[in-house]
Amino acid sequence: MSSIENMISLVRDHYSTDKFIPLHEPRFRGNEKKYLEETIDSTFVSSVGVFVDRFELMMQDITGASKAVAVVNGSASLQVALRLAGVKQNDEVITQALTFIATANAISYNGAIPVFLDVDLDTMGLSPKYLGEFLEEFGELREDGCYNKSTGRRIAACMPMHTFGFPVHLDELSALCNKWHIPLVEDAAESLGSLYKGKHTGTIGLIGGFSFNGNKVVTSGGGGAIITNSNELGTQAKYLTTTAKRPHAFEFFHDDLGYNFRMPNLNAALACAQLESLNDFLIDKRKLAEKYAVFFETEGIKFRQEIPDTKANYWLMCVELNDKKEREEFLTTTNAHGIMTRPIWNLMYRLPMYAHCQRDAQKNAEYLEERIVNIPSSAR
């Protein structure tokens, strides 16, 4: 049999089914139904309820952050995180083109403009090397921050994304951002449970955002979270995402442009039950990753693994094929046999709304775009 057929057999054996196998589906094997019933019985199903508070405390405990704020989805978490970092209309935010659309959209929602820099081959995330080269060529420090000499716009933030849960080189990125007075905002949407040198992703930058979409390691159906080690920013995050309403027994007074980004208590109930199972999910997924690693090494195919000093959550596992033609054959054959696989995202500057954005050569991003394929990664 071919390598692809062997992989199909491995996946079907692992999940013990001859039916369609999705890329990543949620598992509900804890208190999900119990907590949802409690929420319904309480009648507090919307944005106020005990599970919202519990979810925020659980996220603080899991990540080690000083403050966590529940929001409606991961995109909202990034949008508000950037605003809290000081991003304003016509500013620039440095990020990567090899990412999910939400990263770039969150920048645009703030009226800012993305600058796309290349990724590292080992992490598939924003490269300190290319960030440093860009800032040396285009960066200019002024009294109120760093500016892009080629556009005249302020570089208000740098937002790397931890691709598929693999942490980027955060120490090097942090050092560069500190040198150039640029706030570091982590797009940690895919990396719940991932560690960099023992610290949870999202806690090393000024602020971080997570997603709890239906295909994540832990899901609330739809939901997100903002985390930070700044109590002041955390308080402001909670205020802005709950419509910027001043507390009062009965009056509605809003004194800033806030957002109705509140996570409903129903979603928070689901999230709390899921977070209780997080460690079990991570253990189960790591066992699958180890099985894949052994298999693909035998087949002569590169299986992407965590780098030293990091611990990945292996949210979406992936292989790196030799070229685009081999990638297409892999995708076509697996999907034809009921095994869901998918290519990595189209690079952001290939999309019409971001085609005008400044970027560098993107050698690594384009290399990975032609070769990376995600494979079934669900906990069993």
Side-chain angles (χ1 to χ4, degrees), residues 25 50 87 90 107 186 222 241 264 269 281 291 300 328 335:
E25 62 180 344
V50 296
V87 175
N90 294 322
I107 297 168
E186 292 181 63
T241 57
F281 292 155
K291 185 180 293 187
E328 293 305 305
N335 282 283

Side-chain angles (χ1 to χ4, degrees), residues 224-282:
I226 300 166
I227 67 167
T228 179
N229 287 319
S230 166
N231 288 322
E232 180 181 355
L233 286 179
T235 299
Q236 187 70 0
K238 187 70 171 179
Y239 177 63
L240 288 176
T241 57
T242 54
T243 72
K245 178 182 179 294
R246 288 296 176 188
H248 194 277
F250 50 84
E251 287 188 352
F252 291 87
F253 184 74
H254 309 257
D255 62 359
D256 203 342
L257 180 61
Y259 313 93
N260 188 6
F261 285 168
R262 299 170 289 188
M263 177 189 283
N265 199 37
L266 272 172
N267 296 87
L270 186 62
C272 288
Q274 286 271 286
L275 287 175
E276 290 173 351
S277 298
L278 175 61
N279 285 337
D280 289 339
F281 292 155
L282 292 173

Side-chain angles (χ1 to χ4, degrees), residues 100-111:
F100 181 58
I101 189 67
T103 308
N105 283 352
I107 297 168
S108 296
Y109 295 155
N110 282 280

